Amino acid sequence: MDYLPIFLRLTNQAALVVGGGTVAARKVSLLRQANACVTVVSPGLEDSLSRLSADKEIEHISGPYQDDMIKHYRLVIAATDDAEVNQKVYQQAKAYNIPVNVVDHPALCSFIMPSIVDRSPIVLAISTGGSSPVLARMIRSRLEALIPASYGRLASLAQKYRSAVKAKFSDVEHRRKFWEKTLEGKVTELVFSGRDKEAENTLQLAIDNNDESGLEEKGEVYLVGAGPGDPDLLTFRALRLMQRADVVLYDRLVSEEIVAMVRRDAEKIYVGKEKANHSVPQEDINKLLVRLAKQGKRVLRLKGGDPFIFGRGGEEIKDLFHENISFQVVPGVTAAAGCAAYAGIPLTHREFSQSVSFVTGHLKDGSFNLNWNLLSQPNQTVVIYMGLTGLEIIGQKLIEHGVSHDMPAALIQQGTTKNQRVISATLSTLHEKVKAENVVAPTLVIVGEVVTLRDQLRWFDPSEPGSIAINNAL
Ligand code: SAH
């Protein structure tokens, strides 16, 4: 180990930054986050530093670095492009035993600045010993994804109760077990799902009553939106809960790749739904969720897209609510948003469309009960979920209510997945074109002028995720 990682308390300590450019500004910002009193010495300042100086948030010594300026400071950073100045700052700091860092010159540093993941009061520092800052940043972004933002709040909660726990449980071993139970159990999940007050009450109760049973997790249901197919569209929270679940109930819309990301030893139950062939009736799914949660399990109900958009999520939580089972709902990218982005069709546009409607083209008895007048108004986009079977009638109805027969319309098959295909036509011709193709569910229909923008967007930078999918779809 070439460097010893330490965390330095800089609150109200004087720190000097030599240089006034953008690199210096980044360092000043870090020092200020650590509550240091920052002085910048430089003939000029870039904009953000000028503002800080005008607001008296930092002190500015205008002019070049002068000999021995550093001696009143606890820490020095040189961020100039003048090799002579950098060298001088380093030599003088060394003479005074003041920690010094010359940016991008490991040989002129008595300390190095790590890449940081900030979940204050938890801070992770990553260093490659100056060998590759880019690699350090890549590792950092992986850790950022791995560590929920709420870890900071959890640590603050632990800090707040640390002495109360210490006073209550004098035995070190007991204390350690208490904290393990807290940090692996219910309190943590409550904080992660934003229920901090409940978390605090649970912890307080366990301390007051000397009873740790309340810290253990009871059965809970996670109603999670898995997005339209591409696993990259999962939210961090979805992924975290997928990896905690004891049992998962998933349906046809959830892609195999996503199911494979659920905790390996979780029990996996397919409750797939195919139109008019529901393999497990909705009522049975609702009951199953309740039964499994009552067995004390962490039950993941994984749904395609967003659970509250044509997902019957509302029905599923109703029973949980009545049975007093705790649950959380995690939104997902709905098919309309996913398909539109990957097909290069903006759902709204200042010129063409000022509103967007999501409607279902599937009714239990095969009829439609849509407000055709409303859906036929100009300057809007209509997105039809479950619209494949009724496609021809939907087109006719819109035309009957005044939409032009050559209004652009597109059908997107298996949007956001490797099998995405986009069939675009007009309102009157789409159903025929679709009939001629071998279309595979799920499919989404978008009607509106915005569909034509797809042609313009095709020329976007291919490194853009949307553009790659467009190319796939061609
Ligand atoms: N809750 C889901 C929608 C469930 S209804 C969501 O928010 O996306 C099921 C319908 O969603 C399908 O019939 C289809 O119209 C649409 N759908 C879901 N995923 C899709 C995908 N990857 N591509 C195209 N349509 C999709």
Side-chain angles (χ1 to χ4, degrees):
M1 197 157 73
D2 291 334
Y3 297 86
L4 177 72
I6 55 168
F7 291 85
L8 209 58
R9 180 182 279 285
L10 274 185
T11 303
N12 296 332
Q13 303 284 323
L16 181 71
V17 175
V18 184
T22 50
V23 178
R26 277 205 296 276
K27 303 300 171 190
V28 168
S29 159
L30 268 173
L31 292 169
R32 292 185 65 254
Q33 279 173 48
N35 304 312
C37 300
V38 182
T39 301
V40 175
V41 52
S42 168
L45 292 181
E46 61 87 68
D47 287 354
S48 69
L49 289 177
S50 294
R51 257 177 275 128
L52 286 174
S53 165
D55 294 345
K56 306 232 175 320
E57 296 286 339
I58 58 171
E59 190 192 342
H60 178 211
I61 303 174
S62 182
Y65 175 78
Q66 306 284 339
D67 274 350
D68 286 352
M69 248 179 185
I70 44 156
K71 66 181 176 196
H72 304 296
Y73 296 91
R74 290 293 305 272
L75 181 127
V76 181
I77 296 177
T80 80
D81 45 16
D82 184 329
E84 219 169 286
V85 173
N86 287 344
Q87 184 72 35
K88 196 195 276 181
V89 172
Y90 171 70
Q91 293 297 351
Q92 296 185 351
K94 234 175 89 176
Y96 284 102
N97 269 329
I98 297 169
V100 58
N101 176 290
V102 176
V103 178
D104 280 343
H105 288 84
L108 301 184
C109 292
S110 67
F111 72 92
I112 50 176
M113 304 278 271
S115 268
I116 294 170
V117 177
D118 187 0
R119 303 280 187 269
S120 287
I122 296 171
V123 176
L124 277 76
I126 305 125
S127 154
T128 56
S131 56
S132 173
V134 174
L135 190 58
R137 277 200 290 276
M138 280 160 66
I139 297 171
R140 187 192 95 169
S141 60
R142 289 197 166 197
L143 291 172
E144 287 275 7
L146 212 65
I147 298 169
S150 26
Y151 259 111
R153 295 195 339 266
L154 183 64
S156 300
L157 185 69
Q159 195 169 37
K160 183 167 170 190
Y161 284 89
R162 201 171 155 192
S163 43
V165 171
K166 201 166 178 181
K168 190 84 182 192
F169 311 112
S170 52
D171 177 41
V172 180
E173 188 60 12
H174 191 174
R175 228 158 44 221
R176 185 177 61 77
K177 291 223 167 83
F178 180 91
W179 279 121
E180 275 173 7
K181 265 192 192 158
T182 304
L183 298 173
E184 283 169 2
K186 187 173 167 189
V187 169
T188 297
E189 195 45 47
L190 285 169
V191 171
F192 284 176
S193 57
R195 292 177 278 178
D196 294 38
K197 197 73 219 153
E198 256 180 88
E200 204 165 332
N201 292 342
T202 308
L203 190 54
Q204 183 76 63
L205 210 67
I207 299 169
D208 290 350
N209 301 346
N210 206 343
D211 174 11
E212 291 155 42
S213 59
L215 297 175
E216 277 154 28
E217 261 186 309
K218 304 241 168 51
E220 189 176 20
V221 176
Y222 314 137
L223 190 59
V224 174
D230 183 348
D232 281 4
L233 296 178
L234 284 172
T235 59
F236 288 144
R237 186 170 288 187
L239 192 59
R240 187 174 60 72
L241 294 176
M242 282 161 70
Q243 308 208 323
R244 274 177 73 80
D246 298 312
V247 49
V248 52
L249 278 68
Y250 66 100
D251 50 50
R252 192 178 54 92
L253 279 178
V254 180
S255 69
E256 264 173 47
E257 285 159 286
I258 289 179
V259 177
M261 290 164 88
V262 174
R263 193 161 68 96
R264 201 161 295 171
D265 46 0
E267 184 189 350
K268 301 188 176 76
I269 305 176
Y270 177 73
V271 292
K273 275 190 209 156
E274 270 154 80
K275 200 155 57 63
N277 176 23
H278 293 207
S279 48
V280 180
Q282 185 66 50
E283 295 68 38
D284 293 359
I285 296 178
N286 302 353
K287 286 199 192 108
L288 190 57
L289 290 174
V290 170
R291 199 168 71 235
L292 290 166
K294 280 192 170 167
Q295 289 168 7
K297 294 189 170 139
R298 290 179 290 220
V299 188
L300 171 70
R301 174 68 176 114
L302 202 53
K303 303 185 75 85
D306 179 273
F308 280 178
I309 297 182
F310 306 127
R312 305 187 74 166
E315 294 168 48
E316 291 179 5
I317 58 171
K318 201 164 135 232
D319 282 13
L320 301 173
F321 188 76
H322 285 310
E323 298 281 348
N324 217 1
I325 289 167
S326 92
F327 63 86
Q328 38 179 314
V329 182
V330 180
V333 173
T334 190
C339 293
Y342 279 54
I345 302 172
L347 290 176
T348 64
H349 189 275
R350 264 159 49 122
E351 242 172 84
F352 303 112
S353 168
Q354 282 79 49
S355 73
V356 55
S357 304
F358 296 172
V359 301
T360 164
H362 164 64
L363 275 189
K364 273 189 195 148
D365 58 3
S367 71
F368 292 100
N369 189 17
L370 295 172
N371 186 339
W372 298 111
N373 272 332
L374 199 71
L375 298 177
S376 305
Q377 298 304 312
N379 301 321
Q380 65 167 322
T381 307
V382 180
V383 181
I384 303 143
Y385 286 69
M386 296 169 272
L388 185 59
T389 327
L391 189 56
E392 186 172 359
I393 307 174
I394 293 166
Q396 279 167 8
K397 287 277 184 195
L398 288 173
I399 292 169
E400 262 172 41
H401 287 77
V403 180
S404 160
H405 66 90
D406 57 7
M407 174 63 82
L411 177 134
I412 298 138
Q413 162 194 299
Q414 299 179 313
T416 79
T417 73
K418 289 188 292 294
N419 303 324
Q420 171 172 304
R421 268 168 77 204
V422 181
I423 301 172
S424 45
T426 65
L427 201 48
S428 58
T429 58
L430 185 63
H431 74 276
E432 275 164 18
K433 214 167 162 185
V434 166
K435 227 185 265 169
E437 307 271 345
N438 204 4
V439 170
V440 183
T443 63
L444 191 85
V445 178
I446 303 181
V447 179
E449 306 270 12
V450 287
V451 170
T452 53
L453 293 166
R454 181 178 142 70
D455 296 329
Q456 298 166 26
L457 290 172
R458 262 186 202 157
W459 307 109
F460 263 21
D461 174 4
S463 66
E464 298 262 337
S467 306
I468 292 169
I470 293 167
N471 292 341
N472 287 344
L474 280 175

